[in-house]
């Protein structure tokens, strides 16, 4: 990982957990799982998450009130971060799409709006779960 060496001990533990889990976790779930590593207070988790988000290593999923490790190291090169979230199995897939990104940018220019963050969350049923419906 490019900037792993600049992370604090707590930031490394949070990132390692999210990378290992490969799914979104709430801050309190992160706290519970990292108690063995010496975490005692939610503030420890929130501070680590705040820095990891700034570095583009972690994303916050608003609809789940949870956090997930970035699956694409080149993520900071894109202005749009997008996820599909399965309502049945809770599988989460991060993706990028240049057409969607370009359309959002053009529309923002049309309405004279300067977005600071663009995170798209699409909830539905994944192919694996759809075959059981």
């Amino acid at each position: 990982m490019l900037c792993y060496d600049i992370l604090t001990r707590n930031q490394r533990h949070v990132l390692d957990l999210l990378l290992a889990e490969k799914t979104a976790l709430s801050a309190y779930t992160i706290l519970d799982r990292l108690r063995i590593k010496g975490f005692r207070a939610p503030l420890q988790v929130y501070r680590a998450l705040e820095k990891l988000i700034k570095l583009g290593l972690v994303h916050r999923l608003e609809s789940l009130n949870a956090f997930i490790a970035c699956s694409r190291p080149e993520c900071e090169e894109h202005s749009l971060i997008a996820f599909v979230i399965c309502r049945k199995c809770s599988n989460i897939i991060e993706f990028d799409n240049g057409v969607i990104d370009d359309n959002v940018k053009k529309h923002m220019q049309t309405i004279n709006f300067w977005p600071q963050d663009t995170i798209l969350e699409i909830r539905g049923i994944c192919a694996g779960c759809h075959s059981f419906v």
Side-chain angles (χ1 to χ4, degrees), residues 21-105:
E21 290 293 324
K22 298 182 181 175
T23 192
L25 299 175
S26 72
Y28 282 93
T29 300
I30 294 169
L31 175 62
D32 288 342
R33 298 212 182 145
L34 291 178
R35 285 190 192 279
I36 194 166
K37 302 283 187 182
F39 281 66
R40 299 285 176 254
L43 191 56
Q44 290 174 285
V45 173
Y46 283 114
R47 283 184 179 155
L49 287 167
E50 181 180 5
K51 180 65 172 186
L52 294 169
I53 289 169
K54 281 184 183 177
L55 292 171
L57 300 172
V58 169
H59 303 295
R60 182 169 190 262
L61 296 172
E62 299 285 336
S63 66
L64 301 175
N65 193 22
F67 303 86
I68 191 167
C70 181
S71 66
R72 301 173 13 252
E74 74 285 355
C75 197
E76 65 276 354
E77 297 172 12
H78 304 284
S79 60
L80 174 75
I81 301 166
F83 298 92
V84 291
I85 304 166
C86 181
R87 290 184 187 274
K88 293 219 181 246
C89 70
S90 301
N91 188 33
I92 301 168
I93 300 170
E94 183 176 351
F95 72 96
D96 66 276
N97 182 299
V99 174
I100 295 171
D101 193 11
D102 289 343
N103 285 336
V104 169
K105 284 179 188 174

